[in-house]
Amino acid sequence: MGRIAWVGLVALNGLTVGLLLIPLVTSLMVSLTPSEFVALPTDRISFRWYEQFFGDFRWMSALTNTLVVAGLTMTISVPVGLLAAITFTRYHLRWRAAANTAIMLPLFVPAVILGLASLTFHRMIGIWGTVLSLAIAHSLWAIPLVFVVLKGTLQGVDRSVEEAAAGLGANPLRVFWEVTLPRVAPGVFVGVLFAFIISVNEFIMSLFLATPRTRTLPVAIWPQVRYLLTPIVAAASSVIILITLVLLGVAAKLVNIRRLVEYR
């Protein structure tokens, strides 16, 4: 009975993964069609839509904006998430539960509300219409994720090594730089990748904040889907999918993702 249950569980997991992969595989296949219409390739494949995508200034501008915003999102969210994780794991906080809730709260707030609030606030302080505006908004989701990853990583560091370094006369900054940081470096890099992935795939807040000059790739795809649906949309979507898969693969090679998630 135990083996039957195990086989059933494996089959159920395989079915679940397969259902999740169907849209991704379909998008990749459609991007290779030679047809003018959205359809799966039949007799042959073609890279014409990728050639059109990479040869169009508008698409390239959107892709560039996406990568720039993702880079800024990493720059903002990783230091903030790391500082918060250090504070939670190395110091006693009086309002620990409230602070933890405040950090994680953006993950549970609808993107429409975050987008509208960010638009109002960013217009008020004068940064709306810049890539920085988009990066700050994306960081609202990236910071909690980076915090969770690095909090779990820091909890796995042997505190006795840090205490020994401090006992030998090293100041807190040197202890962190020479003892703690090398041990949590894989987690930091995973946090960097996750922040990048969150930003690259974010759409709703970007739709609120992007202008024609700063629109990202998901925002550029949206009108094509609504008004002029061609396989170039699948090619653009596939570029995002491939970037995401590559980064997730790198992250999975660096650390045990399952172990980090268990700390949540």
Side-chain angles (χ1 to χ4, degrees), residues 208-259:
F208 273 89
L209 298 170
T211 65
R213 187 172 58 88
T214 63
R215 65 177 185 170
T216 59
L217 197 51
V219 176
I221 291 173
W222 173 243
Q224 296 288 326
V225 173
R226 293 193 64 187
Y227 305 115
L228 187 63
L229 186 58
T230 65
I232 196 171
V233 173
S237 301
S238 297
V239 170
I240 296 178
I241 292 171
L242 292 174
I243 291 174
T244 302
L245 291 178
V246 169
L247 293 179
L248 285 176
V250 172
K253 288 293 184 179
L254 282 175
V255 296
N256 187 336
I257 300 298
R258 182 177 59 185
R259 178 176 63 82

Side-chain angles (χ1 to χ4, degrees), residues 195-217:
F196 191 91
I197 290 170
I198 287 290
S199 178
V200 166
N201 289 276
E202 208 292 316
F203 166 66
I204 297 179
M205 286 192 289
S206 298
L207 190 61
F208 273 89
L209 298 170
T211 65
R213 187 172 58 88
T214 63
R215 65 177 185 170
T216 59
L217 197 51

Side-chain angles (χ1 to χ4, degrees), residues 27 30-31 33 35-39 48-49 52 59 221 223-237:
S27 179
V30 170
S31 69
T33 183
S35 171
E36 293 286 341
F37 306 99
V38 175
R48 59 173 293 193
W49 299 110
Q52 184 173 333
W59 288 111
I221 291 173
Q224 296 288 326
V225 173
R226 293 193 64 187
Y227 305 115
L228 187 63
L229 186 58
T230 65
I232 196 171
V233 173
S237 301

Side-chain angles (χ1 to χ4, degrees), residues 95 119 125 142 151 203 212 229 247 261:
W95 305 101
L119 175 61
I125 64 177
K151 182 181 175 183
F203 166 66
L229 186 58
L247 293 179
V261 172

Side-chain angles (χ1 to χ4, degrees), residues 119-234:
L119 175 61
T120 303
F121 179 67
H122 293 180
R123 286 177 64 91
M124 183 176 64
I125 64 177
I127 65 171
W128 177 71
T130 67
V131 291
L132 179 60
S133 172
L134 290 164
I136 292 175
H138 293 183
S139 296
L140 293 176
W141 280 349
I143 289 173
L145 186 58
V146 172
F147 168 72
V148 168
V149 171
L150 294 181
K151 182 181 175 183
T153 305
L154 284 165
Q155 287 174 340
V157 174
D158 187 358
R159 294 293 304 276
S160 63
V161 180
E162 297 175 336
E163 293 169 355
L168 293 173
N171 60 51
L173 182 59
R174 186 174 182 184
V175 171
F176 170 76
W177 186 258
E178 297 188 7
V179 178
T180 307
L181 186 58
R183 285 167 171 76
V184 300
V188 173
F189 193 66
V190 169
V192 168
L193 295 180
F194 281 2
F196 191 91
I197 290 170
I198 287 290
S199 178
V200 166
N201 289 276
E202 208 292 316
F203 166 66
I204 297 179
M205 286 192 289
S206 298
L207 190 61
F208 273 89
L209 298 170
T211 65
R213 187 172 58 88
T214 63
R215 65 177 185 170
T216 59
L217 197 51
V219 176
I221 291 173
W222 173 243
Q224 296 288 326
V225 173
R226 293 193 64 187
Y227 305 115
L228 187 63
L229 186 58
T230 65
I232 196 171
V233 173

